[in-house]
Amino acid sequence: AQKVTQAQTEISVVEKEDVTLDCVYETRDTTYYLFWYKQPPSGELVFLIRRNSFDEQNEISGRYSWNFQKSTSSFNFTITASQVVDSAVYFCALLEANRDDKIIFGKGTRLHILP
Amino acid sequence: DGGITQSPKYLFRKEGQNVTLSCEQNLNHDAMYWYRQDPGQGLRLIYYSQIVNDFQKGDIAEGYSVSREKKESFPLTVTSAQKNPTAFYLCASSRDNRGGQPQHFGDGTRLSIL
């Protein structure tokens, strides 16, 4: 069965610190997609990144970076030099290729960046 | 600008009343979705539609109904059969349901019981 676990319910860090949000997934498929979304206090989910299961290359986008490791079924998200505007709930999600209709979301990690 | 518009932002329902949440997109996306979000629960899929005039139940469809008469519109009705409707409702769309397309979300509707 497919599953996404975000073990960190809530994290608080001081501004300018680095922070890593963990995501562990379960799937029996060999082809799947992983996503990260950000939900600021305003409520909408903002798409951040998509990776497919055949591309384990890590990705960096400004202060954001993602580490995808199939060996540990993890897709972790790191924010470098955090800022107050990074405060939000972050969701990791899984979509199996043979179940194109349903994305499975983790329960989210609430990140507080303290000034 | 292209996007997804949900209305109203806040909605109150009386006991025994049906209410309808609106979702409109101008992204020309084929697939549309409704999710319910409860505190600490993540997102749960209510209904989804891959094409006009077709839709499927998600994980928690009981007490809800939808229609997809137009590509750009996917309204959700919360019926009186839904005994615990208080939640944050999010509508999403994606280009299609193949190839791991990301879903794009609206701003949500917060529904409360009077």
Side-chain angles (χ1 to χ4, degrees), chain B residues 23-37:
Chain B
C23 178
E24 303 277 332
Q25 55 100 355
N26 61 4
L27 300 167
N28 200 31
H29 284 172
D30 286 324
M32 296 187 74
Y33 311 81
W34 273 106
Y35 292 91
R36 170 178 172 143
Q37 185 178 18

Side-chain angles (χ1 to χ4, degrees), chain B residues 84-104:
Chain B
N84 184 24
T86 297
F88 188 54
Y89 291 86
L90 284 158
C91 178
S93 70
S94 63
R95 194 176 72 190
D96 52 46
N97 69 326
R98 297 179 298 277
Q101 295 299 317
Q103 293 180 11
H104 299 270

Side-chain angles (χ1 to χ4, degrees), chain A residues 37-91:
Chain A
Y37 284 86
K38 173 182 179 180
Q39 186 177 38
S42 53
E44 81 279 15
L45 265 73
V46 178
F47 166 69
L48 295 178
I49 190 171
R50 178 191 73 168
R51 304 298 283 171
N52 72 57
S53 52
F54 299 108
D55 184 1
E56 282 192 78
Q57 217 172 12
N58 292 330
E59 183 154 339
I60 298 175
S61 176
R63 297 185 295 106
Y64 294 173
S65 62
W66 291 268
N67 180 259
F68 176 26
Q69 292 195 335
K70 289 176 74 170
S71 60
T72 56
S73 297
S74 66
F75 186 42
N76 296 338
F77 174 29
T78 297
I79 301 175
T80 304
S82 60
Q83 299 176 1
V84 173
V85 294
D86 296 326
S87 297
V89 180
Y90 290 86
F91 290 96

